[in-house]
């Protein structure tokens, strides 16, 4: 491989902006308004009727995930709409307006439930359903983070059509089983592995996976619809592998089913995780949007580095995969945003498809910020900061604490692109009890060294804030 590239962020600022391109791809015209729904971790609904691995989910964590709906606020513009679980903090709203964003019209659900996502909350609000129904006459279309049966029901109740393919197709494309089969069909390199659609296929895969373990390797068993580090088991011993097999088989027997939704793969060493995105049009066209270096920890997404540290040959491998995948997805009737996870090996080799995401990605929500605020020659890093608070934090207090480290439209700083997640767990904590939250933002600066220093200083100030 060639030496690492120092190219700037790969965003085409000479063509129409991303959302206008997406409207044209999905609807045939950029004139129609979108109604954005940030129903994050839609995979949980896709996986509801599938047999998988044991899961544990804390109420506080669920509340934070469901408050990620605020990301959708920055996707839309004038004439668009967004449905939110909570109205944005007034000072945060003014901060965004001060940056020059033309924000969509905000519709807030009447009785948000921390355990429900924004689409489920909307369905439970008759007044909001009626308000959305009035948008149908304006040619509005629902654009969720991902389309499930819940969004289809909301579309049917309001008369506002979805800007996505049917939920069943989105679910099928999003499956890790689909990813493996498609990569095999297209000849795209992927880690050695086995599709386990049935207990019999799992039984066939286990001896082969055991050979990997006997040679000192590691295997992973993944649910087809696992997300954010959930639904994945890392296996380093044959005993653990056989125990997992027995557990899965017992679950299938109790359910009276002969169908699984799992893949088993060989663990491969990596230098970096990648996430790239392309958009498939209704006409079958495929447009490559970007590739970013994903920041992960124990399989959980933590952020992105922009640009990805790739040379031209590596970029070409990614673009080739995107074109091949996009053409095949179009043939299957899919259109809209597609995100693909990939990785770079220690020697620079590329595995261009680990899984396909038939939905928006975390990196999707960063594009409007990049288009507006990351000039040629600058670098950016999207990440989130865990915070632990004893009481709800107003944005004005955060702004005071960060001071000159906050981004105000030029130069360096942290551009906050989701503040709702900071206080999402407050309503679940007992009086005087601390709760966990997350502050999401995009660090912008002239160099990687500057971003690292900025990141360090922000972490220090947030630690002081949390302890106060």
């Amino acid at each position: 491989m060639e030496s690492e590239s120092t190219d700037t962020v790969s965003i085409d600022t000479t063509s129409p902006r991303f959302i206008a391109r997406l409207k044209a791809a999905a609807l045939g015209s950029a004139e129609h308004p979108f109604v954005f729904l940030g129903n994050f971790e839609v995979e949980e609904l896709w996986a509801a009727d599938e047999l998988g691995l044991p899961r544990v989910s804390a109420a506080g964590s669920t509340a934070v995930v469901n408050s990620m709906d605020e990301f959708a606020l920055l996707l839309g513009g004038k004439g668009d709409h967004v449905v939110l679980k909570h109205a944005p903090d007034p000072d945060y709203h003014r901060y965004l307006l001060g940056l020059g964003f033309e924000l969509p019209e905000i519709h807030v659900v009447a009785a948000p439930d921390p355990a429900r996502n924004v689409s489920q909350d909307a369905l439970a609000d008759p007044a909001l359903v009626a308000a959305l129904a009035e948008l149908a006459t304006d040619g509005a279309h629902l654009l969720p983070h991902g389309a499930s049966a819940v969004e289809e029901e909301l579309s049917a109740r309001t008369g506002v059509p979805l800007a996505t393919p049917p939920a069943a197709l989105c679910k099928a494309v999003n499956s890790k089983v689909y990813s493996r089969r498609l990569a095999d069909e297209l000849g795209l390199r992927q880690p050695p592995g086995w599709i386990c659609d049935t207990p019999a296929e799992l039984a066939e895969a286990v001896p082969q996976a055991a050979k990997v373990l006997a040679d000192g390797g590691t295997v992973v068993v993944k649910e087809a619809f696992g997300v954010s580090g959930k639904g994945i088991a890392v296996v380093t011993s044959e005993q653990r592998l056989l125990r997992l097999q027995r557990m899965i088989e017992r679950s299938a027997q109790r359910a009276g089913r002969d169908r699984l939704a799992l893949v088993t793969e060989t663990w491969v060493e990596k230098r970096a995780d990648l996430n790239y995105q392309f958009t498939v049009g209704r006409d079958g066209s495929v447009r490559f949007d970007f590739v970013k270096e994903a920041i992960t920890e124990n399989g959980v997404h933590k952020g992105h580095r922009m640009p990805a540290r790739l040379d031209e040959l590596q970029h070409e491998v990614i673009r080739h995969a995107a074109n091949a995948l996009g053409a095949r997805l179009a043939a299957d009737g899919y259109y809209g945003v597609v995100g693909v996870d990939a990785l770079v090996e220690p020697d620079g080799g590329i595995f261009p498809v680990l899984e396909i995401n038939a939905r928006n990605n975390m990196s999707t929500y960063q594009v409007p910020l990049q288009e507006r605020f990351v000039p040629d020659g600058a670098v950016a890093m999207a990440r989130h900061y865990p915070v632990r608070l004893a009481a709800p934090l107003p944005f004005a207090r955060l702004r005071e604490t960060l001071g000159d480290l906050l981004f105000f439209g030029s130069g360096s700083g942290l551009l906050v692109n989701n503040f709702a997640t900071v206080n999402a767990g407050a309503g679940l904590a007992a009086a005087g009890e601390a709760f966990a939250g997350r502050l999401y933002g995009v660090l912008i600066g002239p160099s990687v060294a500057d971003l690292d220093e900025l990141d360090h200083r922000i972490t220090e100030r947030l630690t002081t804030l949390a302890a106060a």
Side-chain angles (χ1 to χ4, degrees):
M1 292 290 177
E2 300 173 10
S3 60
E4 290 181 352
S5 169
T6 57
D7 292 344
T8 56
V9 179
S10 180
I11 294 291
D12 182 1
T13 57
T14 63
S15 61
R17 292 198 170 184
F18 168 67
I19 291 302
R21 300 197 308 266
L22 178 57
K23 288 179 178 181
L27 307 178
S29 170
E31 301 305 315
H32 297 292
F34 272 157
V35 180
F36 294 94
L37 295 164
N39 58 318
F40 278 75
E41 296 200 0
V42 63
E43 286 88 346
E44 296 293 318
L45 293 172
W46 285 335
D49 61 347
E50 306 288 350
L51 290 176
L53 302 172
R55 295 283 197 98
V56 177
S57 183
S61 175
T62 299
V64 171
V65 168
N66 288 333
S67 289
M68 290 169 70
D69 67 320
E70 194 173 73
F71 277 117
L73 179 61
L74 292 181
L75 270 188
K78 187 177 181 180
D80 291 318
H81 304 261
V82 62
V83 180
L84 297 179
K85 291 174 68 70
H86 299 276
D89 177 292
D91 287 307
Y92 176 56
H93 192 245
R94 281 191 287 271
Y95 166 72
L96 296 178
L97 292 175
L99 289 174
F101 285 107
E102 289 188 307
L103 300 177
E105 182 177 345
I106 299 171
H107 304 263
V108 181
V109 300
D113 183 334
R116 295 190 303 223
N117 70 28
V118 65
S119 301
Q120 293 167 322
D121 273 341
L123 275 173
D125 185 346
L128 179 56
V129 169
L132 294 180
E134 295 180 4
L135 303 179
T137 58
D138 295 331
H141 285 67
L142 292 175
L143 186 74
H145 178 75
S148 74
V150 173
E151 287 68 46
E152 287 188 327
E153 182 180 353
L154 184 61
S155 174
R157 292 263 303 275
T158 61
V160 181
L162 282 167
T164 67
L169 178 57
C170 294
K171 173 182 174 178
V173 170
N174 208 85
S175 168
K176 294 177 179 64
V177 171
Y178 180 93
S179 298
R180 283 207 65 88
R181 285 192 175 131
L182 191 53
D184 283 340
E185 176 188 323
L186 298 175
L188 298 174
R189 187 167 177 254
Q190 62 181 331
W194 308 271
I195 292 170
C196 303
D197 257 348
T198 66
E201 287 183 343
L202 177 63
E204 292 176 3
V206 164
Q208 299 177 76
K211 291 179 183 178
V212 175
L213 297 172
D215 290 338
T218 298
V219 298
V220 289
V221 180
K222 300 178 180 179
E223 291 183 356
F225 302 100
V227 63
S228 298
K230 292 178 282 189
I232 181 171
V234 180
V235 182
T236 56
S237 72
E238 184 176 359
Q239 181 182 15
R240 162 73 166 151
L241 179 65
L242 294 174
R243 191 162 58 245
L244 265 179
Q245 180 188 6
R246 290 192 296 269
M247 181 274 295
I248 294 167
E249 290 175 340
R250 284 197 299 268
S251 295
Q253 289 169 359
R254 285 195 299 268
R257 297 167 64 177
D258 191 39
R259 184 173 62 86
L260 306 176
L262 300 167
V263 297
T264 303
E265 294 180 347
T266 302
W267 183 275
V268 293
E269 295 300 321
K270 63 185 178 183
R271 186 176 76 194
D273 290 291
L274 301 175
N275 173 258
Y276 61 95
Q277 178 177 295
F278 55 91
T279 305
V280 180
R282 281 186 184 248
D283 60 359
S285 61
V286 179
R287 180 184 174 108
F288 185 82
D289 292 324
F290 55 74
V291 58
K292 300 178 182 180
E293 188 172 327
I295 304 170
T296 61
E297 185 178 305
N298 298 321
V300 179
H301 177 85
K302 298 291 184 181
H304 290 101
R305 293 186 185 276
M306 301 164 259
R309 294 169 290 181
L310 300 174
D311 61 37
E312 189 55 41
L313 184 58
Q314 291 168 324
H315 272 288
E316 183 56 35
V317 171
I318 294 296
R319 286 179 177 270
H320 168 75
N323 288 331
L325 291 170
R328 185 63 173 78
L329 289 173
D332 280 351
Y334 184 85
Y335 55 88
V337 169
V338 182
V340 183
D341 292 337
L343 64 80
V344 184
E345 294 180 285
D347 66 358
I350 300 287
F351 283 107
V353 52
L354 301 182
E355 63 180 67
I356 297 170
N357 296 309
R359 54 164 173 77
N360 288 347
N361 308 273
M362 284 294 290
S363 53
T364 307
Y365 299 93
Q366 300 152 14
V367 177
L369 282 62
Q370 290 174 252
E371 290 177 326
R372 182 182 291 268
F373 295 118
V374 184
D376 289 344
V379 294
M381 179 171 67
R383 63 156 296 178
H384 76 254
Y385 297 89
V387 293
R388 191 159 184 85
L389 304 168
L393 176 72
F395 184 79
R397 176 80 184 282
L398 175 71
R399 180 170 180 157
E400 177 185 340
T401 300
L402 292 181
D404 62 343
L405 303 184
L406 200 61
F407 184 77
F408 291 104
S410 62
S412 302
L414 174 70
L415 197 167
V416 176
N417 63 337
N418 191 318
F419 185 69
T421 49
V422 170
N423 297 311
L428 300 175
E433 183 179 76
F435 61 91
R438 301 177 201 157
L439 174 66
Y440 285 89
V442 177
L443 298 158
I444 300 170
S447 70
V448 172
D450 287 306
L451 290 192
D452 288 342
E453 173 62 21
L454 180 62
D455 182 41
H456 176 71
R457 295 176 64 194
I458 289 170
T459 300
E460 282 188 334
R461 292 197 191 180
L462 289 177
T463 301
T464 302
L465 176 67

